[in-house]
Amino acid sequence: MHDHLTLLRPDDWHLHLRDGEALRAVLPHTARQFARAVVMPNLKPPVTTTALAAEYRQRILAARPAGSDFEPLMTLYLTDRTSPEEIDRACDSGFVIGCKLYPAGATTHSDAGVTDISRIDAVLARMAERNLPLQIHGEVTADEIDVFDREREFIERTLRPLAARHAGLRVIFEHITTAAAVEFVQSAREGIAATITPQHLLYNRNEMFRGGIRPHFYCLPVLKTEPDRQALLEAATSGHRRFFLGTDSAPHERHTKEAACGCAGIYSAHAALELYAEAFERMGRLDRLEAFASLNGPDFYRLPRNTTTVTLRRTNWQVPQAYAFGSGTVVPMRAGETLSWQLVES
Ligand code: NCD
Ligand code: ZN
């Protein structure tokens, strides 16, 4: 049994950093583990232009802890009104790494998202031409579709046709949650990849109802069945280059989750790598963690791999009940529980 695990420094390919005081509260958790992170644009109002992304990037850089060289990789939020010229500006900026497709109404702060994929056809064509990746929240929003079937439906209704129509477009199917998504990604054409969160590797949907309703396990896409979780574990720990780390760490103030209508989002940035290590260890595949966390992501995005390392040590530590967050607190994943791996401070 190994006591230490050293890997090339990982990156987080899907992260919510928020803004203002909240940003200052959560960024140190990410910056101590990850060299880079793909920063989601679902602020209020959303980051829809390269100019807004430039300003947001400056606020993130200014919020970094002293001495940190963490690099935010910015994304633009696609709307029905995004223009192909905006794609050119994004590509020329050097700091926008992709554009995010939120089907309107699919998740937190997605009301300005795309109402019909055909409306952004010219934008997707320009992205393919300029080689700018598309990040997708892959869920249909139709009322008649069961919330647990929304990802699977999205594959057939939107993703498969989109991947065929824009054959040169690189697509990241984000935070996949189902066996159907794993199967799609494995058998899709070149240029399709997926990120997987720690919560979807560690929990099935029972966790939301264990002994009562547990709002801190509610995220979107929602947790799925045990067979889905097993398929995700197999994919993540297979070493397959199309699957890589994206925490989807999504902090919300405690009172907005512990409410009659609670927000979607799980906060995992405080212990992201430790949580993934636990999942990989249970599969007996700790040796594949580096590919998932540190190699497959940069290779897909065509960015250099990091050159420094991080080390995890086997030791028990207790996750705090809450962390300061803006004017309140955020309840982290595994609050009050014991984790068996810990990042060694460098
Ligand atoms: C995210 C958030 O809170 O911004 N919530 C979530 O449950 N994952 C939005 C998202 O990524 O869907
Ligand atoms: Zn997200």
Side-chain angles (χ1 to χ4, degrees):
M1 212 154 86
H2 301 289
D3 300 335
H4 285 84
L5 181 65
T6 295
L7 34 147
L8 274 187
R9 185 171 287 275
D11 305 297
D12 186 347
W13 299 96
H14 180 125
L15 176 68
H16 299 271
L17 279 177
R18 312 306 190 204
D19 210 345
E21 266 189 74
L23 163 64
R24 281 188 290 279
V26 297
L27 183 57
H29 282 158
T30 289
R32 63 192 273 274
Q33 312 181 50
F34 298 106
R36 300 167 287 199
V38 173
V39 180
M40 288 298 119
N42 64 333
L43 302 182
K44 270 226 136 26
V47 181
T48 50
T49 65
T50 308
L52 287 169
E55 290 170 18
Y56 185 28
R57 178 168 175 272
Q58 287 307 323
R59 297 196 295 279
I60 296 168
L61 293 175
R64 290 185 302 189
S68 167
D69 56 2
F70 171 78
E71 188 187 348
L73 306 170
M74 308 308 291
T75 56
L76 298 193
Y77 184 119
L78 295 176
T79 75
D80 287 352
R81 289 168 302 285
T82 306
S83 68
E85 292 69 43
E86 193 59 56
I87 301 307
D88 288 333
R89 282 190 283 276
C91 291
D92 296 341
S93 75
F95 56 76
V96 175
I97 194 173
C99 292
K100 173 76 187 231
L101 169 62
Y102 287 105
T107 186
T108 310
H109 300 165
S110 66
D111 29 300
V114 174
T115 59
D116 184 336
I117 193 85
S118 66
R119 300 208 167 163
I120 57 163
D121 201 57
V123 164
L124 298 180
R126 185 67 59 89
M127 288 175 68
E129 195 186 311
R130 299 287 315 256
N131 219 340
L132 189 67
L134 175 71
Q135 291 106 3
I136 300 188
H137 183 111
E139 290 192 286
V140 297
T141 56
D143 259 351
E144 70 277 13
I145 306 295
D146 193 282
V147 67
F148 295 103
D149 295 333
R150 288 181 176 190
E151 184 174 283
R152 211 176 45 218
E153 278 295 320
F154 185 87
I155 296 169
E156 301 314 324
R157 289 190 191 189
T158 307
L159 190 50
R160 206 182 288 281
L162 184 153
R165 177 165 172 80
H166 298 280
L169 183 62
R170 279 184 299 144
V171 176
I172 303 94
F173 190 1
E174 300 207 283
H175 43 53
I176 59 167
T177 63
T178 58
V182 168
E183 206 279 318
F184 172 79
V185 171
Q186 277 168 343
S187 57
R189 65 156 169 80
E190 263 310 294
I192 308 278
T195 55
I196 306 179
T197 76
Q199 62 265 25
H200 293 100
L201 292 176
L202 290 167
Y203 298 106
N204 64 40
R205 63 194 189 184
N206 290 341
E207 203 58 30
M208 288 185 293
F209 310 106
R210 195 164 47 79
I213 191 142
R214 292 178 180 266
H216 297 292
F217 285 99
Y218 174 55
C219 64
L220 287 172
V222 73
L223 295 174
K224 299 295 192 310
T225 67
E226 182 60 14
D228 289 314
R229 188 179 80 89
Q230 291 298 334
L232 295 170
L233 273 172
E234 275 300 332
T237 63
S238 66
H240 195 304
R241 64 195 166 84
R242 292 186 174 194
F243 299 101
F244 43 86
L245 185 157
T247 61
D248 196 17
S249 178
H252 290 272
E253 254 196 61
R254 176 179 204 135
H255 73 90
T256 65
K257 285 191 68 69
E258 296 176 7
C261 184
C263 295
I266 295 178
Y267 185 63
S268 61
H270 63 296
L273 203 54
E274 290 95 332
L275 291 163
Y276 282 112
E278 184 177 311
F280 275 65
E281 180 162 49
R282 283 199 217 149
M283 294 291 283
R285 298 220 180 121
L286 269 179
D287 57 318
R288 308 259 173 92
L289 182 59
E290 187 175 51
F292 179 76
S294 316
L295 309 182
N296 297 347
D299 292 357
F300 184 83
Y301 274 97
R302 301 180 185 164
L303 290 172
R305 294 173 174 181
N306 295 317
T307 50
T308 58
T309 59
V310 293
T311 297
L312 292 174
R313 178 180 46 166
R314 185 187 299 285
T315 185
N316 288 339
W317 65 285
Q318 205 187 7
V319 177
Q321 292 289 354
Y323 290 102
F325 182 66
S327 57
T329 60
V330 59
V331 177
M333 190 167 160
R334 289 285 177 78
E337 292 179 38
T338 301
L339 297 187
S340 54
W341 287 98
Q342 188 170 40
L343 190 75
V344 177
E345 293 296 340
S346 50

